[in-house]
DNA sequence: CTAATGGTAGAACGATCGTTGTACATGTGA
DNA sequence: TCACATGTACAACGATCGTTCTACCATTAG
C-alpha cells in the first residue's frame, strides 16, 4: 500500500505545505521526498506533475482526516470543523494547499481542475452529513454555506491562530444550522 | 499624488494578482510596471521589496474600495460584502493577495507582518461598523466572525464564482447579525 | 551654460533553475 | 546464473533567474 509513489507524494505534500509552491526547487523536493532525482522524475516527470501529485495525495488524505466522528445530531456536521481545527493545529497551518496552488499558478487548468474537484468533494461531505441529520432542510444552500465557513476557518487560522479560527467557525456553523431548525 | 513609485506599486499589485507570486520574474514585472529596470530597482531594490510594495499598495487600495456605503442599519455592515463581491467580479478573482503572499513565502516575517496588519485593519472596519449600528452588542466576537465570513467569500469565489460566494456570504452575515438582534 | 535630477535602454554577471545523461548497486523470479 | 526491474549517486546541459553595470536622454533651476 505504501509504495514508492505514494510515499513520494506524501513527502511532496509536506514539502509544499511548509515551504509554499514558489520556493522549493526540484533538488529540495528530492531531499524532502527522500529518493533519488531519477526516481522522483520517474513517477513525476516534471515539477508541475509533482505539484499535481502532492494535491492529489492531499485530497485523499484530507477526506480521510475529516471522516468519522459522531453519527447523530449537529455534532455530526460540526465534526468537520473540529477536524479541520485539529489539522491546522497539529499538521500544518499554512492555508489551503489547493487555494495556495491555484494562487501560485492561476492559469494552469490541471491545477484548477484538481482544486475544484477537491472542494466539490468537501462540499459533498457537508451535504451528506446535513442530509443525514436533517433530510428536509435546504441541503444545497447549507452545504455551500458550511463550505464557506470551512474556507474562512482555514484562512483565519493563518492570521489569528488555529484555535481562535475554530471557535469562530463553530459559532458560525451552529448559528447557521440552528437558524434552519437543526440542533 | 500619482507619482512614479505609486504607479509602479499599483502595476506590481495587478501583476502579482493576475500571475501569482511564483511565476513572474523581474523582467516580467518591469514590463507590467512600465518603467525601466533601473527605475524599478531604484524604488524597490529587490524582488522581495516589490512584493511588499505591492501588498502595501493593495492594503490602502482595498480599504479605500470598501469605504462608504449606507450609513445606517444592517446594510452599513453588509456593504463590505457587496464591495468585496464587486471587487472579485470586476477587479480580480484570484484570492486574497495577502494570503497568497503568505502562502508563497510562509517564513518571511515582513510579509507576515504586512498581511496581519491588513487583516487587522479590515477587522477594525467591521468592528467600527457594528459598533455604529449596535453599540451594545459583542463587537469583538462579531468582528471576528464577519472577518471569517469575508475570508470565506474570498476563497469561495475562486472555486464557485464571485456571485455565488457573495450570496452565501451575505446570507451568513445576515443570519449572524440577526441572531444577535441586529437588523 | 551648467549642473542636477529622474528617467530609459540594454548588455552582462554569477547563481540557480528544471531536466536529462551516464554509470553502478540491489533484490527477485525463471 | 541470468535477466530484469527498481533503485542510487552525481555530473552536466541550456535556460532563466535576480541583480548590477555602463551609457545616454529630457527637463529644469541657478
Amino acid at each position: 500500500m505504501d509504495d514508492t509513489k505514494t510515499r513520494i507524494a506524501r513527502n511532496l505534500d509536506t514539502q509544499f505545505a511548509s515551504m509554499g509552491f514558489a520556493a522549493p526547487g526540484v533538488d529540495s523536493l528530492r531531499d524532502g521526498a527522500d529518493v533519488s532525482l531519477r526516481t522522483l522524475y520517474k513517477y513525476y516527470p516534471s515539477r508541475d506533475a509533482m505539484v499535481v501529485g502532492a494535491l492529489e495525495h492531499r485530497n485523499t488524505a484530507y477526506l480521510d482526516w475529516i471522516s468519522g466522528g459522531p453519527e447523530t445530531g449537529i455534532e455530526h456536521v460540526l465534526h468537520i470543523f473540529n477536524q479541520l481545527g485539529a489539522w491546522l493545529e497539529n499538521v500544518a497551518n499554512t492555508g489551503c494547499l489547493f487555494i495556495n496552488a491555484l494562487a501560485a499558478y492561476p492559469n494552469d487548468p490541471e491545477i484548477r481542475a484538481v482544486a475544484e474537484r477537491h472542494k466539490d468533494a468537501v462540499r459533498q461531505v457537508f451535504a451528506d452529513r446535513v442530509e443525514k441529520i436533517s433530510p428536509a432542510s435546504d441541503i444545497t444552500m447549507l452545504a455551500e454555506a458550511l463550505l464557506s465557513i470551512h474556507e474562512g476557518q482555514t484562512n483565519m487560522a493563518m492570521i489569528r491562530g488555529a484555535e481562535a479560527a475554530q471557535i469562530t467557525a463553530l459559532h458560525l456553523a451552529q448559528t447557521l444550522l440552528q437558524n434552519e431548525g437543526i440542533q
Side-chain angles (χ1 to χ4, degrees), chain A:
Chain A
M1 199 61 181
D2 195 60
D3 58 356
T4 304
K5 185 169 184 178
T6 304
R7 184 166 48 88
I8 293 175
R10 173 160 29 86
N11 291 336
L12 289 174
D13 176 342
T14 305
Q15 189 92 337
F16 284 125
S18 70
M19 308 187 61
F21 288 98
V26 174
D27 275 9
S28 167
L29 294 173
R30 178 216 39 199
D31 285 348
D34 206 32
V35 290
S36 73
L37 199 57
R38 212 77 181 107
T39 303
L40 178 57
Y41 267 97
K42 177 184 175 182
Y43 292 106
Y44 300 101
S46 72
R47 193 179 183 277
D48 270 355
M50 297 172 203
V51 172
V52 173
L55 293 178
E56 276 165 353
H57 174 268
R58 170 67 69 94
N59 178 54
T60 64
Y62 185 69
L63 291 177
D64 191 59
W65 179 270
I66 60 174
S67 67
E71 290 289 326
T72 58
I74 195 175
E75 291 297 331
H76 185 52
V77 172
L78 298 183
H79 172 72
I80 309 297
F81 300 103
N82 288 324
Q83 287 300 100
L84 173 56
W87 179 287
L88 297 171
E89 190 88 49
N90 303 313
V91 181
N93 186 1
T94 50
C96 171
L97 200 67
F98 300 89
I99 296 290
N100 293 353
L102 213 43
Y105 311 105
N107 305 312
D108 187 314
E110 196 172 2
I111 288 174
R112 166 158 290 273
V114 65
E116 290 185 355
R117 207 178 326 127
H118 174 73
K119 293 302 176 188
D120 268 351
V122 176
R123 193 168 47 94
Q124 193 57 48
V125 169
F126 278 121
D128 291 346
R129 288 183 178 242
V130 168
E131 183 166 31
K132 182 166 182 183
I133 66 169
S134 177
S137 58
D138 184 347
I139 290 161
T140 302
M141 181 276 287
L142 285 174
E144 195 86 9
L146 290 165
L147 181 59
S148 186
I149 296 170
H150 179 274
E151 297 306 293
Q153 180 179 349
T154 310
N155 264 20
M156 287 289 283
M158 291 182 79
I159 304 288
R160 326 260 319 146
E163 194 184 340
Q166 183 179 352
I167 291 170
T168 299
L170 283 170
H171 178 243
L172 276 172
Q174 270 181 295
T175 304
L176 172 74
L177 292 169
Q178 286 171 2
N179 188 63
E180 296 287 313
I182 304 171
Q183 48 195 345

